[in-house]
C-alpha cells in the first residue's frame, strides 16, 4: 500500500531522531545539542540569531531549548563572548568528536542511495516545504 509523503517524512524524522540520539548518547549529547554545536562551529551568534537558525529543530519548545542550552553551558561547551554565543575549546573538541560519529551514521543511513538520488530527494523536499509554507501563510 502506498503511503503519502507526510507519513514517510514523520516516520523518517522519528527514526532519525532515535538513531542520532543513540549515536550521540555515547558522547552524552542530544540531537539538539549536536545541532547547536554544529551551528556555532561556523561563527559565534547572538541568542536571537541562534534561535532563528535552530527554531525548526526546537519547534517552539522554549523549555527544551533553555534546558539544552543550559546543559551545554553547564558542561563548558558554549560560552558568551561580546553578547554572542560561542563554542569553547571543549565545545570545538566535542563537536569534532561528534562529527566523526555523525558522518559514520550518515553513511550507514544513506546506504544504497546514490549521490544523485540523495540530491534529488533534498531538492524535492525543499521545494515541497517552500510550497507548503507559502500556501499555509
Amino acid at each position: 500500500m502506498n503511503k503519502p509523503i507526510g507519513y514517510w517524512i514523520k516516520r523518517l524524522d522519528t527514526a532519525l531522531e532515535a538513531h542520532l540520539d543513540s549515536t550521540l548518547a555515547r558522547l552524552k549529547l542530544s540531537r539538539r545539542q549536536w545541532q547547536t554545536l554544529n551551528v556555532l562551529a561556523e561563527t559565534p551568534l547572538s541568542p536571537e540569531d541562534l534561535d532563528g537558525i535552530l527554531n525548526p529543530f526546537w519547534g517552539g519548545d522554549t523549555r527544551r531549548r533553555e534546558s539544552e542550552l543550559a546543559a551545554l553551558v553547564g558542561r563548558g561547551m558554549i560560552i558568551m563572548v561580546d553578547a554572542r554565543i560561542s563554542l569553547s575549546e571543549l565545545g570545538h573538541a566535542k563537536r569534532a568528536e561528534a562529527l566523526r560519529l555523525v558522518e559514520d551514521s550518515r553513511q550507514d543511513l544513506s546506504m544504497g542511495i546514490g549521490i544523485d538520488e540523495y540530491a534529488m530527494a533534498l531538492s524535492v523536499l525543499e521545494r515541497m516545504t517552500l510550497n507548503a509554507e507559502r500556501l499555509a501563510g
Side-chain angles (χ1 to χ4, degrees), residues 53-83:
I53 292 168
L54 292 175
N55 191 48
F57 300 107
W58 299 117
D61 188 344
T62 56
R63 281 189 194 166
R64 185 172 191 179
R65 180 192 70 213
E66 296 302 322
S67 173
E68 298 284 15
L69 290 175
L72 291 172
V73 169
R75 292 175 62 196
M77 288 187 248
I78 61 174
I79 55 177
M80 287 292 283
V81 177
D82 298 327

Side-chain angles (χ1 to χ4, degrees), residues 2-136:
N2 289 332
K3 304 273 191 230
I5 195 163
Y7 168 86
W8 290 112
I9 289 171
K10 286 186 183 288
R11 189 167 161 187
L12 175 61
D13 184 60
T14 299
L16 284 174
E17 183 99 19
H19 177 68
L20 284 174
D21 276 346
S22 70
T23 298
L24 293 166
R26 292 183 247 170
L27 300 176
K28 296 185 170 118
L29 289 173
S30 71
R31 182 178 177 196
R32 301 301 184 285
Q33 290 169 349
W34 152 248
Q35 289 161 333
T36 302
L37 294 177
N38 208 36
V39 166
L40 291 172
E42 302 281 327
T43 186
L45 295 169
S46 71
E48 297 78 22
D49 288 342
L50 183 63
D51 277 351
I53 292 168
L54 292 175
N55 191 48
F57 300 107
W58 299 117
D61 188 344
T62 56
R63 281 189 194 166
R64 185 172 191 179
R65 180 192 70 213
E66 296 302 322
S67 173
E68 298 284 15
L69 290 175
L72 291 172
V73 169
R75 292 175 62 196
M77 288 187 248
I78 61 174
I79 55 177
M80 287 292 283
V81 177
D82 298 327
R84 295 188 169 295
I85 302 172
S86 180
L87 291 186
S88 66
E89 286 185 35
L90 176 62
H92 280 288
K94 189 62 83 170
R95 183 218 174 237
E97 195 176 351
L99 183 59
R100 286 189 292 277
L101 291 177
V102 169
E103 285 175 347
D104 289 346
S105 174
R106 284 179 182 155
Q107 284 183 329
D108 292 341
L109 288 168
S110 61
M111 194 177 334
I113 300 169
I115 293 170
D116 291 343
E117 289 175 293
Y118 186 81
M120 183 177 290
L122 288 179
S123 175
V124 168
L125 289 172
E126 179 184 16
R127 284 180 279 152
M128 287 185 76
T129 299
L130 294 173
N131 287 341
E133 289 172 348
R134 178 180 47 78
L135 293 168

